[in-house]
Amino acid sequence: MKQKEKKIKQPVSAATLFAQRDIPGQVLFVRANQSGDKSFGQVFLATDGKILYSLYGYEQIRPVPGARKLAPEFVETRFQTVPLESYEELKVERYFSTARLVGLPQKDATPEVLAEFALGSANRVDRFARNALKLRNGNLENELEEEEEDCCPKCGSYYPDPARKVCPNCMDKGSVTRRLLGFFRYYAKQLVVFFIVMALYTLFSLLSPYVGTKLLYDNVLSASDPWYGQIGAFLLLLLAVRLLSLGLNMLQGSVSASVIPHVIYDLKSRVFSTMQRLSMGFYTGKQTGTLMNRVNRDANNVYWFFVDGCPFLIINLATFAGVFFILFRISVLLTLIVAVFIPVIFFLYRFLSRHFRKMHHRQWMDHSAMTSHLSDTVGGQRLIKAFGAGQRENTRFAGYSSRVRDSEHTLFNAQNTAFPFVELLAVTANMLVLGVGGVLIVNGSGLTLGRLLTFTAYLNMLYGPLDFLSWVTTWFSRCLDSAQRIFEIIDAQPDVKEAQQPLCPEIVRGEIELQNVMFEYEPGRPVIRDLSFRVEEGQMIGIVGKTGAGKTTIINLMARLYDPTEGRLLIDGRDIREYSFAFLRKNIGVVSQETYLFIGTVADNIRYARPEATEEEVIAAAKAACAHDFIMKLPDGYETRIGAGGQDLSGGEKQRLSIARTILQDPKILILDEATASMDTETERNIQESLSRLQSGRTTVSVAHRLSTLRDADVLAVISQGKMTEYGTHDELIRKKGEYYNLYRLQTKAAGTIVIAD
Amino acid sequence: MNLSTDSQLISIRPNTARFSAGPGGYLNLTTKSDEYTCIRLKRALPYKYPEKYICVCDREDKEIGILSDLAEWTGPQRELLEAELKRLYYIPNIEKILSAKDRMGYLYFEVLADGNRKSFAVRDPSRSIRFIAPGQSSAVQITDTEGNRYRIANPAELDGKSRRTVETYLI
């Protein structure tokens, strides 16, 4: 007999590979997938701070001699070494599907390609490269990089999502279940009632066939029985059993309704409160963005399993066990016949449910593609009509629609063929039971007609639970997956954390200083590099630069929505990380281009900055923001409902409300992020007036495309590719004739005014 | 059509330009008027015309010009360009899907790609597994959770089980 081989998933370890090469001292490793030099495999990099070692090759899965195992074996194709000291800088260049680690002998010198690998490994190699330089320079603060961080430490498989570090093979389903059940602990009494009701419901369900058949045929209709002819009593008993069963079912639903929504409420509340605690990085991260979208769906998955799945799981399990017990009690021989069919039907159901799940998925995908296309064309009707593309769109829609038709046709066809086949098996089992049972009755082997009919009635009760149990495990797994994702959010730690004993000074001057600040949203892609400047108390600084230069990132750092990757940001001479969140939110006000209004009244929206503000303060803030006049023209004044579904406001009106909100906040540091970028000239002039009032007595940081907005700035910083290229007053920068001068010249030219005085 | 000078394509042709392999592993370009080191090649239409409309950029990623068609280049020059493109655009080809398991909302693949066994996971299969061009007969591209790309050059040539597996997720 051929022995079944067991596969080892543990990948080849870089540490093991390099151990044979006798590299002295502290060593850093990294593994990258797929080398880019014409072959598919792996590249391992290592360094001891002096030499960079690159090992290319691929894994071969081979049987382990003398063992029932498969093990990966690394086949080396190339090994190269380069002295690390030859390079001042290491960087990763990303291409379409591959990436390269390159070394620069000196800044601005011709780079040299040191290793090539798949794009997906670029971040990992980038981290390695940075640590390699630190190791060389003797300032590696952290412990050595963990080589296998993208692999499960238990089974060695790659994590499906490197950002989540959850291995599907080793996920502790028990602990997730226990944690999920922990949410039910406050409802222990209701749960006890729930289980008692379920047990009683199952019991009465099991009684129904006995009363309906055995009692009828063997007692009420049997001339020799004392119950003979008691039709009325029989009907009353049958009615009582059915009514009780119905009542218990209703009670079960009611108890379930009093527990499950509360548990889901608790779960969602925990998730929502965690979301408020988490920093901006969590929301902007690609991986977590997907997680967030799933929160609602995941909570619903858990909800429906507990509402629909869990009660029926218990009922079906109990029914299955109870029915089998009763069948044995009625006839051992007939039960043994049934026992042959049960596993066949169970596995057939299981096979079909998997098969149909795929077909349902196919149909769902085709349907979603058609719906997306439909919504796309409805939204783009103007464009379609403008380009006279109606016929082309009809053809495209017909393509999507025909795929839906085909997948539905395949699914229905398969269902119509497969289920009668399962039914045929069930009918065969029933016929065999009736045949053998009939023989037993005729031979007088102790089986009565009533008992035989009761047996077949119970037998029919088996198929429902069999069907249910064949696919409920998949449902349960999906519920646990959803719960796991919810717990991941609950357990997430914010990147921006408040200090243990945060500062909350009463007096704030409003000085800001950036010291060698570096920041990156994604590893290896710095958005801000080595940025240093100082803004004095009450000064206004204008930050100028092209789109994507990093201006908004600077103000995000000033508002402490993120922390710098390197360097420090000081407020009144203290690191921004030392202050409490409450202090920062109170003293740093942001007016951005994207104004967000919540659903509520105008007054509620202005008061969002300071809920305890009086009506007089709200009106005063609106007046200062030049918003009072338009508010008074709204039908319900300050009580007009705005936000989604409410009164529509123009961009300028929304912006003025946002300014009023910030005026009410009364911050010492004011950040204006393209506050008037999308306004027409007249509206901008109005808003500038309200902004000027807001700026008085505060330190102001203003980011703007239109340089005219920054005419009042005391000092200007020009940012290009995350670096400060120019710094000075308007006159100084104009005289310098650099980037600011060029921008200014372009804008004044565009505006039709050529007033540049040297 | 009246386009401004900025929007005109600057064509790089064999009679006016010459590519050479630089010492650092990059390509260099010499034209009649200039010399460029560490140039980059970028396909404008990587799926539809992988051998046409190839932008040539300098070290600062600024476009120097465009190679309209690789077929214009012959001999060692053509080989040099093809080798560079292969390095930058290398995507392993899936020959067989050994298994595809749906776990925790991810599709966990085990495949045979370019002769090697490889495991990877895919998030949101309807977006990550797709035909690279409209129509049901083109190559299929699969992007894993790390952003690595895999390709099935000709889905019709896959074995029945592999084809059925991938078809389940294709729109």
Side-chain angles (χ1 to χ4, degrees):
Chain A
M1 195 179 134
K2 195 184 170 188
Q3 283 188 325
K4 196 181 172 192
E5 287 175 326
K6 192 184 168 197
K7 195 186 141 199
I8 295 179
K9 291 203 170 176
Q10 187 73 44
V12 177
S13 143
T16 319
L17 288 172
F18 283 107
Q20 302 155 8
R21 296 187 184 266
D22 194 25
I23 302 169
Q26 214 180 15
V27 185
L28 281 169
F29 299 109
V30 72
R31 180 188 48 230
N33 290 324
Q34 300 164 233
S35 58
D37 60 347
K38 303 169 204 159
S39 67
F40 173 46
Q42 289 184 323
V43 52
F44 291 87
L45 301 175
T47 184
D48 52 4
K50 294 186 184 94
I51 307 281
L52 176 73
Y53 305 87
S54 317
L55 182 58
Y56 288 84
Y58 55 90
E59 274 180 20
Q60 258 187 359
I61 310 289
R62 286 190 173 158
V64 177
R68 288 165 50 195
K69 284 178 183 173
L70 287 174
E73 186 186 86
F74 188 73
V75 181
E76 184 184 321
T77 53
R78 191 151 57 98
F79 180 70
Q80 67 183 46
T81 57
V82 284
L84 207 55
E85 62 192 17
S86 310
Y87 303 103
E88 194 180 308
E89 202 183 317
L90 295 178
K91 65 175 187 175
V92 170
E93 289 182 351
R94 293 159 170 88
Y95 301 99
F96 177 79
S97 58
T98 58
R100 288 168 169 176
L101 174 67
V102 298
L104 284 98
Q106 290 105 34
K107 238 180 179 118
D108 301 324
T110 307
E112 290 169 23
V113 179
L114 304 177
E116 290 176 309
F117 40 87
L119 186 65
S121 309
N123 287 352
R124 236 179 1 253
V125 176
D126 198 275
R127 249 189 341 261
F128 164 83
R130 250 186 281 171
N131 283 338
L133 289 180
K134 284 181 184 167
L135 181 66
R136 182 192 66 183
N137 301 336
N139 56 6
L140 183 68
E141 291 163 10
N142 307 328
E143 284 298 300
L144 289 180
E145 191 87 342
E146 284 291 321
E147 177 221 343
E148 313 290 9
E149 62 175 12
D150 54 341
C151 292
C152 166
K154 207 168 165 185
C155 73
S157 298
Y158 289 104
Y159 291 122
D161 183 350
R164 288 181 68 208
K165 309 270 185 277
V166 179
C167 174
N169 301 323
C170 307
M171 185 177 92
D172 185 359
K173 290 194 175 177
S175 76
V176 178
T177 313
R178 279 194 295 280
R179 198 168 168 192
L180 192 57
L181 291 177
F183 280 84
F184 286 84
R185 65 183 179 277
Y186 306 112
Y187 308 97
K189 281 180 194 163
Q190 287 98 317
L191 283 177
V192 170
V193 175
F194 180 72
F195 283 112
I196 292 172
V197 171
M198 297 274 263
L200 287 173
Y201 173 74
T202 312
L203 190 71
F204 276 92
S205 302
L206 288 172
L207 268 179
S208 286
Y210 182 82
V211 176
T213 47
K214 162 79 175 64
L215 207 64
L216 177 67
Y217 291 105
D218 287 356
N219 303 90
V220 179
L221 300 179
S222 173
S224 58
D225 197 272
W227 276 75
Y228 179 66
Q230 301 282 333
I231 305 287
F234 163 75
L235 285 176
L236 273 177
L237 185 65
L238 191 62
L239 187 68
V241 169
R242 293 273 159 89
L243 278 177
L244 265 169
S245 185
L246 191 72
L248 286 165
N249 194 18
M250 285 164 67
L251 189 60
Q252 175 264 118
S254 155
V255 177
S256 161
S258 71
V259 177
I260 312 295
H262 291 277
V263 170
I264 300 301
Y265 166 82
D266 292 345
L267 209 57
K268 282 186 177 172
S269 301
R270 283 284 295 279
V271 172
F272 192 76
S273 62
T274 309
M275 280 160 56
Q276 305 314 307
R277 188 168 49 82
L278 292 169
S279 37
M280 282 305 291
F282 183 83
Y283 295 94
T284 48
K286 270 190 234 162
Q287 320 292 344
T288 44
T290 315
L291 269 180
M292 294 306 303
N293 288 334
R294 293 202 59 139
V295 168
N296 217 19
R297 211 190 316 170
D298 284 334
N300 280 339
N301 279 349
V302 176
Y303 175 83
W304 285 114
F305 178 76
F306 279 98
V307 168
D308 254 8
C310 207
F312 287 106
L313 175 66
I314 297 166
I315 289 170
N316 281 310
L317 272 175
T319 306
F320 187 82
V323 166
F324 228 83
F325 175 74
I326 293 168
L327 291 182
F328 256 109
R329 296 283 299 169
I330 296 173
S331 168
V332 175
L333 180 65
L334 294 182
T335 310
L336 288 175
I337 293 170
V338 170
V340 174
F341 281 86
I342 294 299
V344 178
I345 294 174
F346 177 80
F347 286 110
L348 196 61
Y349 269 132
R350 208 173 160 76
F351 169 78
L352 288 176
S353 75
R354 283 182 184 176
H355 187 63
F356 286 132
R357 206 169 64 233
K358 280 185 185 171
M359 293 179 119
H360 275 292
H361 182 74
R362 172 79 262 168
Q363 188 233 6
W364 174 81
M365 291 217 348
D366 287 335
H367 201 268
S368 336
M370 188 187 72
T371 316
S372 307
H373 178 74
L374 193 64
S375 113
D376 207 25
T377 37
V378 168
Q381 271 303 310
R382 259 177 90 136
L383 194 74
I384 292 169
K385 289 198 190 317
F387 284 92
Q391 188 53 46
R392 205 189 317 159
E393 289 305 329
N394 279 347
T395 315
R396 282 180 68 196
F397 182 76
Y400 285 106
S401 188
S402 63
R403 282 204 285 282
V404 174
R405 178 199 61 205
D406 294 345
S407 56
E408 282 180 351
H409 177 80
T410 315
L411 175 66
F412 296 146
N413 243 356
Q415 279 178 339
N416 288 335
T417 320
F419 286 116
F421 185 68
V422 182
E423 271 174 37
L424 185 70
L425 268 177
V427 169
T428 312
N430 280 11
M431 286 177 70
L432 258 172
V433 164
L434 281 174
V436 177
V439 172
L440 290 176
I441 292 171
V442 171
N443 289 346
S445 307
L447 189 71
T448 61
L449 175 65
R451 284 167 77 91
L452 178 61
L453 291 176
T454 309
F455 190 95
T456 50
Y458 277 113
L459 181 57
N460 286 328
M461 282 178 76
L462 268 185
Y463 301 127
L466 267 182
D467 180 13
F468 182 85
L469 294 171
S470 68
W471 54 267
V472 73
T473 47
T474 315
W475 193 0
F476 180 58
S477 293
R478 210 175 300 150
C479 166
L480 286 189
D481 293 347
S482 292
Q484 165 73 20
R485 276 192 290 268
I486 291 173
F487 292 144
E488 273 176 50
I489 294 177
I490 290 175
D491 296 342
Q493 290 298 315
D495 307 327
V496 177
K497 288 181 189 153
E498 195 169 32
Q500 292 282 351
Q501 287 174 320
L503 300 173
C504 195
E506 289 289 316
I507 301 163
V508 189
R509 295 196 304 277
E511 290 167 9
I512 306 169
E513 189 178 357
L514 275 79
Q515 292 179 345
N516 310 102
V517 168
M518 194 271 259
F519 180 76
E520 51 191 24
Y521 291 104
E522 280 180 60
R525 298 191 178 188
V527 184
I528 299 294
R529 306 150 199 250
D530 199 24
L531 188 68
S532 302
F533 63 79
R534 187 180 161 88
V535 193
E536 301 296 338
E537 176 186 354
Q539 249 191 354
M540 177 182 176
I541 182 171
I543 299 180
V544 182
K546 291 178 188 164
T547 306
K551 306 184 296 290
T552 301
T553 305
I554 297 171
I555 60 169
N556 282 345
L557 293 171
M558 285 179 177
R560 218 198 153 195
L561 297 179
Y562 299 90
D563 278 337
T565 312
E566 280 173 24
R568 295 198 310 162
L569 202 153
L570 311 176
I571 288 180
D572 290 351
R574 302 292 292 259
D575 195 313
I576 194 168
R577 285 173 277 220
E578 292 177 32
Y579 292 104
S580 71
F581 285 152
F583 170 84
L584 295 174
R585 303 297 166 243
K586 182 175 180 292
N587 289 292
I588 300 175
V590 182
V591 180
S592 67
Q593 186 184 350
E594 293 160 22
T595 49
Y596 193 82
L597 299 177
F598 291 97
I599 299 168
T601 65
V602 170
D604 291 341
N605 267 283
I606 297 176
R607 204 183 266 122
Y608 196 78
R610 195 150 60 83
E612 72 281 6
T614 62
E615 309 304 336
E616 287 80 2
E617 285 173 319
V618 170
I619 295 170
K623 282 198 159 198
C626 304
H628 178 74
D629 290 348
F630 89 78
I631 294 171
M632 291 315 293
K633 284 179 190 157
L634 295 173
D636 298 322
Y638 281 83
E639 286 185 308
T640 305
R641 289 191 73 79
I642 52 174
Q647 175 83 35
D648 276 340
L649 298 179
S650 71
E653 289 168 342
K654 283 183 190 168
Q655 193 59 281
R656 273 175 274 178
L657 286 189
S658 164
I659 295 167
R661 196 189 271 167
T662 312
I663 290 174
L664 201 60
Q665 182 190 355
D666 192 22
K668 191 68 191 168
I669 296 168
L670 176 66
I671 294 172
L672 306 172
D673 182 13
E674 305 273 17
T676 57
S678 57
M679 311 287 151
D680 57 66
T681 319
E682 198 180 330
T683 316
E684 188 193 4
R685 198 174 299 138
N686 287 335
I687 291 183
Q688 278 300 341
E689 198 185 318
S690 44
L691 283 175
S692 303
R693 289 185 199 177
L694 180 57
Q695 283 166 19
S696 64
R698 305 172 208 274
T699 307
T700 308
V701 180
S702 181
V703 170
H705 260 307
R706 284 187 208 164
L707 302 183
S708 57
T709 321
L710 302 175
R711 59 179 172 256
D712 299 329
D714 299 298
V715 68
L716 294 154
V718 183
I719 306 295
S720 176
Q721 294 185 333
K723 287 181 183 171
M724 191 169 70
T725 49
E726 289 174 25
Y727 183 82
T729 62
H730 169 81
D731 291 341
E732 283 168 358
L733 296 185
I734 288 288
R735 274 197 294 274
K736 200 176 171 189
K737 290 200 172 176
E739 204 174 336
Y740 180 78
Y741 171 81
N742 288 334
L743 279 171
Y744 188 77
R745 204 177 55 162
L746 276 172
Q747 289 194 12
T748 46
K749 212 172 168 183
T753 53
I754 307 161
V755 189
I756 305 166
D758 276 23
Chain B
M1 198 162 60
N2 186 17
L3 295 170
S4 69
T5 326
D6 284 352
S7 57
Q8 298 291 331
L9 297 180
I10 299 167
S11 206
I12 298 176
R13 297 197 177 277
N15 55 352
T16 54
R18 183 172 175 75
F19 290 94
S20 57
Y26 288 87
L27 286 189
N28 295 339
L29 170 68
T30 313
T31 62
K32 277 186 175 169
S33 53
D34 289 297
E35 278 199 20
Y36 302 90
T37 56
C38 306
I39 57 115
R40 292 165 190 211
L41 301 180
K42 289 180 182 178
R43 284 176 170 146
L45 298 157
Y47 304 124
K48 200 173 177 185
Y49 294 115
E51 305 224 320
K52 288 182 180 179
Y53 311 111
I54 296 158
C55 294
V56 182
C57 301
D58 66 9
R59 267 175 78 175
E60 308 303 320
D61 222 16
K62 222 171 163 184
E63 190 173 303
I64 303 165
I66 196 161
L67 306 178
S68 307
D69 195 342
L70 267 193
E72 291 176 356
W73 301 76
T74 52
Q77 285 283 289
R78 171 83 179 259
E79 282 167 23
L80 206 61
L81 289 168
E82 278 182 345
E84 180 70 357
L85 283 169
K86 201 165 182 180
R87 285 165 80 183
L88 302 179
Y89 285 83
Y90 172 73
I91 298 179
N93 184 46
I94 293 176
E95 292 144 2
K96 188 174 184 173
I97 297 173
L98 302 169
S99 70
K101 289 175 188 162
D102 190 353
R103 285 174 179 172
M104 295 175 62
Y106 291 86
L107 200 59
Y108 217 112
F109 276 101
E110 185 140 2
V111 301
L112 204 63
D114 284 355
N116 287 308
R117 215 173 165 120
K118 175 78 188 157
S119 300
F120 60 89
V122 165
R123 189 191 306 116
D124 196 357
S126 57
R127 282 169 195 267
S128 306
I129 306 175
R130 60 184 189 88
F131 289 108
I132 59 172
Q136 306 274 309
S137 56
S138 78
V140 169
Q141 183 166 283
I142 304 178
T143 310
D144 74 7
T145 46
E146 283 199 305
N148 295 312
R149 300 174 194 227
Y150 302 84
R151 187 168 291 175
I152 303 171
N154 190 351
E157 281 179 8
L158 285 177
D159 61 287
K161 189 186 158 213
S162 303
R163 198 173 57 247
R164 278 194 299 279
T165 305
V166 79
E167 272 173 0
T168 315
Y169 303 98
L170 279 168
I171 292 178

